[in-house]
Each structure stands twice: as structure tokens, then as C-alpha cells.
Amino acid sequence: MTPTTTPTTTPTTTPTTTDTIDDRALKARHRAMWALGDYPRVAAELIAELGPALVSAAGVRAGDRVLDVAAGTGNAAVPAALTGARVVAVDLTPELFAAGRAFAARHGVTVEWDEGDAEALPYPDGAFDVVLSCVGAMFAPHHQQAVDELVRACRPGGTIALLNWTSDGFVGELFRALGPYAAPPPTGALSPVRWGDDRYVRRLLGDRVTDVAATPGVLRVDRFPTPQAWRDHWKTVDGPTIATYRALGADPDEVAALDRDLAAVATRFDRGTSGTVLPWEYRIHTARRVG
């Protein structure tokens, strides 16, 4: 597939976005949250297989112009570049780009890295053949605006492919366990686990796409001996979890309660016999933009 437009840093249309003082403050908190901990380690050690799975589902080919939205350290961007595609990775948290560039360099590929908001992408309409997001855009607070931007950036006939955690799987339960301890979300901010629901994603995409397909998958996390070991690792590497613990301050009872709740989630999902095996369920949605 050949792009009809070459992306630039200046959009040709005004992207849909909520641009208020509160929204800018929320985005600043999101950027700081994802810079906490060690997301590059999460991407490399726990979820590395997700990017290739999404790239394969999207049918990325050599010569395609690909956009990876909320790309993090390039979990999908680098596998896309390995096909011979020309790839742009955009993320709200540029602190992750150094690890992403190193990841790309280790694989001998080039990826363009841009700071940008999934709800206001800095690219022209229809600039990309394939628009991807691998457990990334799901964390944008305004889901419809994020999807509107994903669709807008994709050329007519191009592919949109999303990989998201499911609501009733391990990660969905993890989010629910964190919820009572975290600061309440701002008005209008929506839960990321809704993106794992097929009907919800179809509704967000609307009639601007066709050939919508949903494919379930399971990521097997088996590198921890016990649920408690997983918890102790997770609370040092995952930005949202670290932020939640920090919000509890020095309250030992609250910290102990959150420790128990996270270990309980892992215990409930543990499928291992000689060690902990956690199945992290996800769903891949692919669609083709009408036009």
C-alpha cells in the first residue's frame, strides 16, 4: 500500500480534542505517571510478544507508512519497521523514546519518534496506510476523540488495528483492584478496560470503517515464582501502580491493604503448578477505513 500523503508535523485539519486547563493538567499527570518506574522493562520482559501479534494481524507490509499511536518504547513500531514499513511512533511521554531508539537500533531499523497526544495527533488526514495502537490509546481519557484521531490519520482503504486488555481478564481485574486506592478520575475520563469490549470498540469506530474483526489472545506471564513476587515486581516498574502507592503516602494500613488486594488478584488468576502463571487476556480489533 502507498500513502496518499506524506506526514508532516503540521496537521491540515483541526484534530478533535478537549483543550481545557483541566485537560492539559490531566495529560501532564498522565505523562508523568508513565515516566515513573521502568516501562521499558515491562515492554521488553513482559509484553514483548504483543507488538508482533498486532503487526501480524494488521498485515503490515514493506513500504507501508505506519503510525504507532501511544507507542511507548516501540513495542509495535519496531516489529512494524522490521517488515520494511516506514514507521512513525508517537507518544505523550517522550521520556520513553531513548529506550525506544535503543530498541530500534538493536534490531537495525529506523523509526521516527514524535511527541504527541493520541487525542490530537499532529499529522494530516489520511497520512498513513496502517494506524496501530498496542495497549496504548486505550489509556487516553476521552475514548471517542482518540478513535476519531486514529481513523482520521488513516487513509481511505487503510487499516486500523488495536490491541487492548479485556475488562474481565487479569489486567481488567488489576485495574479494578487499584481503583479504590487511586485518586478519582476527572469528570469525563473513561476507564481503559472498556476498549476490550467488542461492541464498545465497534460503536467508537462507527460507520467510518468496514470489515471489523475481533481476535482474542492471551499473554502468558510465567517469570514469577509466586503471586507475591509478581506484585513486588509490578509495584516497582508500572507507572500507574507506583502512582497509586505514592498517593497512599505513609499510611501503613492502606499500603498493606493494597498489597493484599494485588496479590489476591494474581492468586485468583494463577494457573501455575510449580510457579505462578498469569494469563493476561487481550483482544485485537482490525478494521478498514471506508473510502
Side-chain angles (χ1 to χ4, degrees):
M1 291 184 289
T2 302
T4 57
T5 312
T6 299
T8 67
T9 56
T10 304
T12 56
T13 62
T14 302
T16 58
T17 186
T18 299
D19 190 18
T20 65
I21 292 175
D22 288 345
D23 190 65
R24 289 193 293 273
L26 173 61
K27 299 297 176 62
R29 289 197 298 274
H30 274 207
R31 171 177 172 171
M33 178 181 70
W34 287 108
L36 292 172
D38 194 350
Y39 183 78
R41 190 173 178 186
V42 174
E45 297 180 0
L46 297 183
I47 65 170
E49 69 185 63
L50 299 184
L54 180 60
V55 168
S56 176
V60 176
R61 299 179 299 179
D64 282 352
R65 184 63 167 162
V66 177
L67 177 65
D68 182 11
V69 178
T73 56
N75 187 256
V78 171
L82 284 167
T83 70
R86 296 169 293 160
V87 182
V88 176
V90 60
D91 199 278
L92 190 68
T93 306
E95 290 86 348
L96 301 176
F97 291 171
R101 291 187 179 100
F103 179 30
R106 286 195 301 273
H107 287 277
V109 296
T110 299
V111 174
E112 179 183 332
W113 301 87
D114 291 338
E115 180 179 351
D117 183 350
E119 296 178 6
L121 296 172
Y123 309 108
D125 296 356
F128 297 91
D129 299 303
V130 182
V131 177
L132 307 171
S133 187
C134 184
V135 293
M138 66 182 292
F139 291 99
H142 309 111
H143 297 178
Q144 189 63 65
Q145 288 172 204
V147 169
D148 289 349
E149 284 295 274
L150 295 171
V151 174
R152 183 185 67 79
C154 186
R155 68 167 177 83
T159 299
I160 299 160
L162 311 172
L163 189 153
N164 300 307
W165 302 120
T166 62
S167 176
D168 56 355
F170 175 80
V171 178
E173 287 298 314
L174 169 61
F175 291 158
R176 274 187 282 276
L178 290 169
Y181 301 92
T187 301
L190 300 172
S191 169
V193 297
R194 299 183 70 180
W195 286 72
D197 180 80
D198 184 39
R199 288 177 297 180
Y200 184 69
V201 171
R202 289 174 184 269
R203 187 162 65 248
L204 291 175
L205 290 167
D207 60 4
R208 299 168 295 180
V209 301
T210 187
D211 301 328
V212 180
T215 305
V218 178
L219 173 71
R220 176 186 167 99
V221 176
D222 60 0
R223 63 186 305 269
F224 301 100
T226 65
Q228 292 75 19
W230 164 80
R231 176 205 61 205
D232 292 344
H233 177 78
W234 192 247
K235 63 191 284 189
T236 66
V237 297
D238 178 62
T241 303
I242 293 170
T244 302
Y245 273 99
R246 286 188 178 182
L248 299 179
D251 187 329
D253 292 336
E254 287 287 278
V255 170
L258 180 53
D259 277 348
R260 287 193 299 271
D261 287 352
L262 294 186
V265 172
T267 299
R268 190 160 67 250
F269 278 84
D270 187 2
R271 301 295 181 266
T273 53
S274 60
T276 291
V277 176
L278 301 174
W280 294 18
E281 295 181 1
Y282 62 85
R283 186 164 282 108
I284 295 176
H285 287 94
T286 57
R288 189 163 300 279
R289 183 177 173 185
V290 172

